[in-house]
Amino acid sequence: MTAQTSRKAPILAILSTAFIVLWLLLAAFPFLWTLWGSFKVQGDFFSRQDWMNALSGTRTIAETGSAFTGQGYYGAWVLNDFWRSAINTGIVTFFVVVISLTFGTLGGYALSRSSFRYAFWILIAALIFRAMPHITLVSGYLLPFFQLNIWGYLATSIVVLVAINQPFTLWMLHSFFKSIPKDLDESAMVDGCSRFQAFRMVIIPVMWPGVITTGLFSFLLAYNDFAVTATLLTQENQTMVPKIASFLGTTQVQGNVMYAVSAVVSATVPLFILVLFFQRQIVSGLTAGAVKG
Amino acid sequence: MPHRTFFWFILPSALAMLVFIALPIVSIVVQSLYVEHDRVLVEVENCGPFGCSKEVRVDAAATAELQREEPLGRFNGLATYTNRNHLAFDEIGAAWANAPDIAEFAGEILSLPFYRALSFTLAYTAVVTPFVIVLGFLIALAVNMLPSLLKGPVIFVSLLPMIITPLIGSLVLFWMIDSNGVIGATIQALANDPALSLKASAPLTWITLFVYGIWHSTPFAFVVFYAGLQTVPKDTMESAMIDGASTFERVRFVTLPHLSPLLVFVGLIQLMDNFRVFEPIVGFNAEANATSLSWIIFNDLRGAGTPLFGSAAATSTLTLIGVSILLTPVLIRTWRDFTRKG
């Protein structure tokens, strides 16, 4: 059918190809440009004379003797302890993903196997909770957390992010478990398993595709978060995203912007790899929510 | 599943949501009724060589003590909601009475912090959502026509703007539109105006933020629509072709009706996400020209020296009311579907 369409309407085919090329340019160019620019000095990446300098690296050669420099990376990772933020991000995302998935699989499974009315209401409540702007919730936490003296720790942020993530996780896993036939666990129960044993021995072995997809989105939520981590963590415990924001506070100093640029590129790399390997799961995850929601 | 088993399975998840989502909502409503303590003032007499003078000083110890005893602050009723930084009833009344015409009245209202943020938030939601849906749909149609070998790489590149951390994505664009950056310099050259800066004027900042929002969210709509396109029934499409429908007519009368549930879904998610727009304003450093509801809450909490809990909580409550108005049609629809099914 594709071939037929293009034969009938070559103008349309040309137009749509041009459109795609334009879109790909818009989508990819900012990343390529920033990646390239992160190896230059500030005078080139923000060139007063000519933006072509960022390509040729005129000032970079003048200042460092070579067309590429790792100064920005050195400044961010070594001088400004960006490695510490990277470790913090690692800890936060790891625990958020693991805990979210544990809670989510149990809850999502229960919701998919219950025919009572309250299961429906829990899902609706989750939908409403999904719509809450995160910063409004943060403004509810801050004062109690100060009073309880639990403000500023990674563990607090992890728990908060797990909770914020629950509505989405529940919905995703609920619709995934719905697609696993009831007969499977029910026959295990006929054979004498308790509900939990049936879950452990029959459902857990077949649930990994759904769990991996949901896990990817939990990872993205924890990794990309700014509202929670910027307000609930102390300076030393900052994760990467608020750390980058704090680089910007001191942009006046020559070279400091390049620290932020390199930090941004560094923080983008894991996301890049994630899409590279899990593209299919991400696409199927976005669609699963759409088809069932 | 019996109630008891259900309860144990759902408990961790429900507890997490109850404690960290439902309780905070109660917490902000309560906090919004209180306001920070006034500082405790004491009058001290200073006696020097030139006689005695009375002076009013802040009693730091007593203030701290009061703060510790009543951390919420003092009860303020609804006064926080009506003050200048929120609904500003007095200011609006005064503007209504004094402004010569509607334009001036609107201008005065939009200079109040809450209405300024509200107007940008609504404009952002109203502009970005339809653009994202239309663009995403067009890209999905175009990608669907590509040979299958190219589809994978094209989808990979298309996902990038969506997957990127919002703050990082906005920073990347912000640096490019800097007047010394690649896009900023190009625009200056095109407009032949070396003083032109996208950051300087309010309308240009708004447009920049809209463009960022569309760039960031279009991939989501694209992916959902693209997946939907794979399920368009072949038979219907072929009969439409036999009946002589043009490409446009096939899209209009076969594809679009088939995708309409997805349209609603994408629209709903986009409304929720765009209404909480926040990171781009930090990333684009745009607060001078554009603020959003989320941003003013953040600013109350982190911008000033001491966090203004009462003010932030009042804005949060108003934001939640906004969200619930946005969600009402969806909920009513779900409720109707649910009761019809019995």
Side-chain angles (χ1 to χ4, degrees), chain B residues 28 45 65 160 162 184 196 210 233 241 283 319 327:
Chain B
I28 55 169
E45 211 174 31
E65 174 74 7
L160 294 178
M162 176 192 76
L196 183 73
F210 293 161
M241 280 163 79
T319 308
L327 275 184

PDB file of all heavy atoms in Angstrom, chain B residues 28 45 65 160 162 184 196 210 233 241 283 319 327:
ATOM      1  N   ILE B  28      -1.448  20.951  52.924  1.00  0.00           N
ATOM      2  CA  ILE B  28      -1.390  22.286  52.318  1.00  0.00           C
ATOM      3  C   ILE B  28      -2.651  23.084  52.621  1.00  0.00           C
ATOM      4  O   ILE B  28      -2.588  24.290  52.796  1.00  0.00           O
ATOM      5  CB  ILE B  28      -1.131  22.258  50.793  1.00  0.00           C
ATOM      6  CG1 ILE B  28      -2.141  21.419  50.071  1.00  0.00           C
ATOM      7  CG2 ILE B  28       0.265  21.856  50.465  1.00  0.00           C
ATOM      8  CD1 ILE B  28      -2.065  21.592  48.564  1.00  0.00           C
ATOM      9  N   GLU B  45      15.453  50.423  76.488  1.00  0.00           N
ATOM     10  CA  GLU B  45      15.890  51.786  76.715  1.00  0.00           C
ATOM     11  C   GLU B  45      17.399  51.830  76.629  1.00  0.00           C
ATOM     12  O   GLU B  45      18.086  51.047  77.275  1.00  0.00           O
ATOM     13  CB  GLU B  45      15.420  52.259  78.085  1.00  0.00           C
ATOM     14  CG  GLU B  45      15.165  53.735  78.110  1.00  0.00           C
ATOM     15  CD  GLU B  45      14.548  54.145  79.437  1.00  0.00           C
ATOM     16  OE1 GLU B  45      14.856  53.493  80.454  1.00  0.00           O
ATOM     17  OE2 GLU B  45      13.766  55.100  79.450  1.00  0.00           O
ATOM     18  N   GLU B  65      11.457  30.889  70.065  1.00  0.00           N
ATOM     19  CA  GLU B  65      10.648  30.115  71.017  1.00  0.00           C
ATOM     20  C   GLU B  65       9.220  29.946  70.481  1.00  0.00           C
ATOM     21  O   GLU B  65       8.667  28.841  70.419  1.00  0.00           O
ATOM     22  CB  GLU B  65      10.647  30.852  72.361  1.00  0.00           C
ATOM     23  CG  GLU B  65       9.735  30.269  73.418  1.00  0.00           C
ATOM     24  CD  GLU B  65      10.292  28.976  74.002  1.00  0.00           C
ATOM     25  OE1 GLU B  65      11.445  28.610  73.676  1.00  0.00           O
ATOM     26  OE2 GLU B  65       9.556  28.335  74.755  1.00  0.00           O
ATOM     27  N   LEU B 160      14.102  11.292  21.477  1.00  0.00           N
ATOM     28  CA  LEU B 160      15.056  12.025  22.311  1.00  0.00           C
ATOM     29  C   LEU B 160      14.478  13.251  23.018  1.00  0.00           C
ATOM     30  O   LEU B 160      14.657  13.407  24.220  1.00  0.00           O
ATOM     31  CB  LEU B 160      16.291  12.415  21.478  1.00  0.00           C
ATOM     32  CG  LEU B 160      17.123  11.227  21.020  1.00  0.00           C
ATOM     33  CD1 LEU B 160      18.282  11.697  20.159  1.00  0.00           C
ATOM     34  CD2 LEU B 160      17.646  10.439  22.206  1.00  0.00           C
ATOM     35  N   MET B 162      11.650  13.869  24.088  1.00  0.00           N
ATOM     36  CA  MET B 162      10.713  13.517  25.157  1.00  0.00           C
ATOM     37  C   MET B 162      11.428  12.913  26.353  1.00  0.00           C
ATOM     38  O   MET B 162      11.087  13.178  27.501  1.00  0.00           O
ATOM     39  CB  MET B 162       9.687  12.533  24.628  1.00  0.00           C
ATOM     40  CG  MET B 162       8.751  12.051  25.694  1.00  0.00           C
ATOM     41  SD  MET B 162       7.783  10.654  25.152  1.00  0.00           S
ATOM     42  CE  MET B 162       8.974   9.365  25.237  1.00  0.00           C
ATOM     43  N   GLY B 184      20.386  31.999  18.300  1.00  0.00           N
ATOM     44  CA  GLY B 184      20.226  33.421  18.609  1.00  0.00           C
ATOM     45  C   GLY B 184      20.945  34.289  17.604  1.00  0.00           C
ATOM     46  O   GLY B 184      20.390  35.264  17.077  1.00  0.00           O
ATOM     47  N   LEU B 196      18.496  42.238  18.838  1.00  0.00           N
ATOM     48  CA  LEU B 196      17.367  41.350  19.075  1.00  0.00           C
ATOM     49  C   LEU B 196      17.767  40.223  20.024  1.00  0.00           C
ATOM     50  O   LEU B 196      18.769  39.549  19.832  1.00  0.00           O
ATOM     51  CB  LEU B 196      16.899  40.750  17.742  1.00  0.00           C
ATOM     52  CG  LEU B 196      15.663  39.854  17.841  1.00  0.00           C
ATOM     53  CD1 LEU B 196      14.432  40.685  18.081  1.00  0.00           C
ATOM     54  CD2 LEU B 196      15.509  39.020  16.588  1.00  0.00           C
ATOM     55  N   PHE B 210       6.707  28.203  24.562  1.00  0.00           N
ATOM     56  CA  PHE B 210       5.736  27.370  23.839  1.00  0.00           C
ATOM     57  C   PHE B 210       6.466  26.415  22.894  1.00  0.00           C
ATOM     58  O   PHE B 210       6.155  25.221  22.842  1.00  0.00           O
ATOM     59  CB  PHE B 210       4.775  28.234  23.008  1.00  0.00           C
ATOM     60  CG  PHE B 210       3.848  29.094  23.831  1.00  0.00           C
ATOM     61  CD1 PHE B 210       3.217  30.196  23.271  1.00  0.00           C
ATOM     62  CD2 PHE B 210       3.604  28.802  25.157  1.00  0.00           C
ATOM     63  CE1 PHE B 210       2.370  30.985  24.029  1.00  0.00           C
ATOM     64  CE2 PHE B 210       2.761  29.587  25.927  1.00  0.00           C
ATOM     65  CZ  PHE B 210       2.141  30.684  25.353  1.00  0.00           C
ATOM     66  N   PRO B 233      -7.901  -0.773  10.606  1.00  0.00           N
ATOM     67  CA  PRO B 233      -8.326  -1.972   9.882  1.00  0.00           C
ATOM     68  C   PRO B 233      -8.034  -1.852   8.391  1.00  0.00           C
ATOM     69  O   PRO B 233      -8.379  -0.860   7.758  1.00  0.00           O
ATOM     70  CB  PRO B 233      -9.829  -2.048  10.167  1.00  0.00           C
ATOM     71  CG  PRO B 233     -10.209  -0.707  10.678  1.00  0.00           C
ATOM     72  CD  PRO B 233      -9.012  -0.123  11.321  1.00  0.00           C
ATOM     73  N   MET B 241     -10.467   2.966  -0.565  1.00  0.00           N
ATOM     74  CA  MET B 241      -9.696   3.196  -1.789  1.00  0.00           C
ATOM     75  C   MET B 241     -10.501   2.787  -3.024  1.00  0.00           C
ATOM     76  O   MET B 241     -10.478   3.467  -4.039  1.00  0.00           O
ATOM     77  CB  MET B 241      -8.381   2.418  -1.724  1.00  0.00           C
ATOM     78  CG  MET B 241      -7.334   3.108  -0.887  1.00  0.00           C
ATOM     79  SD  MET B 241      -6.011   2.015  -0.417  1.00  0.00           S
ATOM     80  CE  MET B 241      -5.057   2.002  -1.922  1.00  0.00           C
ATOM     81  N   GLY B 283      14.883  26.681  33.579  1.00  0.00           N
ATOM     82  CA  GLY B 283      15.927  26.459  32.584  1.00  0.00           C
ATOM     83  C   GLY B 283      16.130  27.658  31.683  1.00  0.00           C
ATOM     84  O   GLY B 283      17.260  28.050  31.402  1.00  0.00           O
ATOM     85  N   THR B 319      -4.034  25.901  42.917  1.00  0.00           N
ATOM     86  CA  THR B 319      -3.621  25.092  41.766  1.00  0.00           C
ATOM     87  C   THR B 319      -4.406  23.786  41.722  1.00  0.00           C
ATOM     88  O   THR B 319      -4.855  23.350  40.654  1.00  0.00           O
ATOM     89  CB  THR B 319      -2.115  24.780  41.846  1.00  0.00           C
ATOM     90  OG1 THR B 319      -1.416  25.993  42.043  1.00  0.00           O
ATOM     91  CG2 THR B 319      -1.647  24.096  40.595  1.00  0.00           C
ATOM     92  N   LEU B 327      -9.980  18.278  35.391  1.00  0.00           N
ATOM     93  CA  LEU B 327     -10.257  16.836  35.357  1.00  0.00           C
ATOM     94  C   LEU B 327     -11.742  16.506  35.374  1.00  0.00           C
ATOM     95  O   LEU B 327     -12.127  15.387  35.032  1.00  0.00           O
ATOM     96  CB  LEU B 327      -9.589  16.153  36.547  1.00  0.00           C
ATOM     97  CG  LEU B 327      -8.142  15.748  36.397  1.00  0.00           C
ATOM     98  CD1 LEU B 327      -7.684  15.005  37.627  1.00  0.00           C
ATOM     99  CD2 LEU B 327      -7.959  14.857  35.179  1.00  0.00           C
TER     100      LEU B 327
END
